[in-house]
Amino acid sequence: MPYEDIAQKKLQSLKDGFILLSIESSCDETAAAILDSSRNVRSMAVHTQIPTHKLYGGVVPELASRSHVERIGEVVREAIEKAGITRFDIDAIAVTNRPGLIGALLVGVSYAKGLAYGLNIPLVGVDHLSGHIAANYLSHKELEPPFVCLVASGGHSHILKVEDCNRTVLLGHTRDDAAGEAFDKVARVLGLPYPGGPALEALAREGNPDAFSLHSEFNEGDNPDFSFSGLKTAVINLKHKANLKNELISSADLAASFQKAVVKTLVNKSMLCLEQTGLDKLVLAGGVSANMALREALANAARKHKAEFFCPEMKYCTDNAAMIGCAGYRLLLDGFRDTLSLDGIANFGEYSEHKQNQGG
C-alpha cells in the first residue's frame, strides 16, 4: 500500500494519547520534543547556535542551515531516548514549515518527511506563530480560546484574536521592526553582545526609564498597528549626537527608556484590542515574552481591565519543539495531515500564495 494511503489510514485511527515527535528548525535552534497528548511533554532536546552567531552579532542564515544539518539527527535521537521510547513507538510527526529562514526550515521539513515516510506515519506542518501561541497551553492546562494574544519575538510582532486552536484573526501588527528585532538593533548600537534582547533588558535594570522621552506619533490613537522604527532611530540619534559632541550618555538610561517605550506601546495596543473584541483573556507569546518588564506591565494592565492574563513558562518562551508539538497535535486530532509535498515557506505572503495555488 502506498505511503499516503497508509498515513491517511493511521491518521483516522489516532486518538488522544498518541505519541508525537515534533521538530523545530525555523531559525537558530535545532529542537525536538516528544508529546503523548496535546499538553503533556515527555521530553525536550535543543541545540542552540548562539555561540556561533555571537561572533557575527546576529544570525547568519547559511551557518544556521549547516548547523541544523549537522545536529538534527542527534537532537531527535536525544528527545526519543529521554522519553524512554524508540522511533517505532512514534505515531505521527509535526514540524515547523513556516515562517522562518528558508534554508533552516527545509532541513527540519526534509528530515521530518524522510522519517515519516520511513515509519509510514502521518506528518503535519505547523505555523511557527501558532506554536508560540500553543506554548501557553503547555503552561496553563485550563486555557482555552477565545482570547487575544500578543505574539512578540525577534521576527514577528502580531496581536491576534484566537478563535479556536486552529483559527486566528489578525487584529494588529508592527509596520516595520518586530519588537525583538528592535531590541537587538538598539542593543547593537549600545555595544551590547548578541543576543541583544536579554542583554538590553539586563542593562535597563540599571538605568532610569524616565531619563529620555521616546515616543512615536504612529503609536498614538486607536490604530491597532504599531511601529518601532521611530523609537529605534531616536536612540541612534541620541547616541550619535552625544558622540559628535564628545558627551557622555548613559547607555543604561537609554536602554531603560527604550524598553519602557516599547513595553508601553505593546501594552496599549494589546489593551485596545482586548477592548475592541470584548474578550476577557489576554495571552502573551513569543521570545520577547521572556522580558520581565513586559510580562509585569501586561499583567497589571489586564488586572485593571478585569481580564485574565496568561504567559508561558520561561522554558517555552524561546523557540522550542514542544510548542510546535502542542499545535501539531491538535491539528492531527482535527484530521489535518500534509503529504510528502510539504515545503518550507519563508513568509506569510508566500504561504497565502501557496495555499491559493493549491486551491486552499
Side-chain angles (χ1 to χ4, degrees):
M1 186 182 295
Y3 162 75
E4 297 295 353
D5 294 336
I6 297 173
Q8 184 61 31
K9 189 174 181 180
K10 288 188 176 180
L11 174 68
Q12 293 169 348
S13 67
L14 290 179
K15 293 181 173 61
D16 196 17
F18 66 87
I19 293 178
L20 173 75
L21 165 68
S22 55
I23 297 171
E24 154 63 25
S25 67
S26 64
C27 190
D28 60 343
E29 308 283 1
T30 312
I34 299 292
L35 289 80
D36 60 21
S37 77
S38 64
R39 305 197 188 207
N40 189 50
V41 182
R42 290 182 59 169
S43 70
M44 291 175 62
V46 180
H47 170 73
T48 180
Q49 300 177 16
I50 287 178
T52 298
H53 301 293
K54 193 171 187 177
L55 298 171
Y56 305 95
V59 177
V60 181
E62 178 63 25
L63 294 181
S65 301
R66 291 181 184 181
S67 180
H68 286 309
V69 171
E70 294 170 354
R71 299 287 184 169
I72 191 166
E74 65 184 67
V75 169
V76 168
R77 283 192 295 273
E78 181 183 347
I80 290 173
E81 290 173 3
K82 281 184 176 180
I85 63 173
T86 73
R87 66 182 184 276
F88 300 108
D89 295 313
I90 300 169
D91 297 305
I93 299 175
V95 60
T96 306
N97 81 307
R98 63 189 189 276
L101 299 176
I102 188 60
L105 287 168
L106 287 174
V107 175
V109 169
S110 298
Y111 188 94
K113 290 197 296 186
L115 190 56
Y117 180 77
L119 295 174
N120 279 319
I121 56 178
L123 166 77
V124 67
V126 177
D127 184 305
H128 186 74
L129 268 67
S130 296
H132 274 304
I133 296 170
N136 279 278
Y137 299 134
L138 298 175
S139 297
H140 305 282
K141 309 296 185 185
E142 74 282 10
L143 177 62
E144 291 290 346
F147 52 78
V148 170
C149 183
L150 167 63
V151 183
S153 68
H156 318 282
S157 287
H158 298 72
I159 304 177
L160 305 167
K161 179 184 178 183
V162 179
E163 296 184 333
D164 62 38
C165 293
N166 299 319
R167 187 169 68 248
T168 62
V169 176
L170 179 65
L171 302 176
H173 64 100
T174 180
R175 291 292 188 88
D176 39 63
D177 293 345
E181 180 183 5
F183 272 119
D184 286 342
K185 288 180 178 178
V186 169
R188 193 176 301 122
V189 170
L190 298 180
L192 300 175
Y194 174 84
L200 188 142
E201 181 184 6
L203 181 62
R205 296 192 194 104
E206 303 173 10
N208 175 11
D210 299 315
F212 300 98
S213 178
L214 303 175
H215 70 279
S216 168
E217 289 187 11
F218 183 84
N219 293 330
E220 305 298 328
D222 294 333
N223 184 353
D225 291 345
F226 43 94
S227 166
F228 294 125
S229 181
L231 300 177
K232 175 193 67 181
T233 301
V235 173
I236 293 172
N237 288 340
L238 283 168
K239 188 73 172 174
H240 182 63
K241 289 177 181 178
N243 291 341
L244 287 177
K245 296 178 181 179
N246 289 320
E247 295 177 349
L248 290 177
I249 189 169
S250 171
S251 292
D253 286 349
L254 270 177
S257 299
F258 176 74
Q259 178 175 261
K260 178 183 176 181
V262 171
V263 168
K264 180 181 178 182
T265 298
L266 292 174
V267 170
N268 288 346
K269 297 301 182 179
S270 297
M271 292 304 109
L272 174 64
C273 291
L274 200 64
E275 292 172 358
Q276 290 178 344
T277 59
L279 295 174
D280 61 358
K281 285 184 282 190
L282 176 64
V283 171
L284 175 62
V288 181
S289 66
N291 182 286
M292 292 305 300
L294 179 59
R295 291 165 80 101
E296 292 170 5
L298 281 172
N300 291 333
R303 193 177 303 114
K304 290 178 182 178
H305 283 72
K306 294 181 171 53
E308 291 184 272
F309 174 67
F310 301 87
C311 59
E313 299 166 72
M314 286 296 182
K315 64 182 178 180
Y316 297 133
C317 288
T318 54
D319 291 352
N320 64 87
M323 67 183 195
I324 300 303
C326 180
Y329 201 104
R330 287 168 175 254
L331 287 170
L332 289 160
L333 279 180
D334 286 347
F336 291 96
R337 179 183 70 85
D338 283 293
T339 68
L340 294 179
S341 65
L342 180 68
D343 203 357
I345 301 171
N347 57 53
F348 292 106
E350 290 179 17
Y351 178 59
S352 298
E353 182 179 344
H354 176 75
K355 292 296 286 184
Q356 289 173 0
N357 290 340
Q358 288 189 330

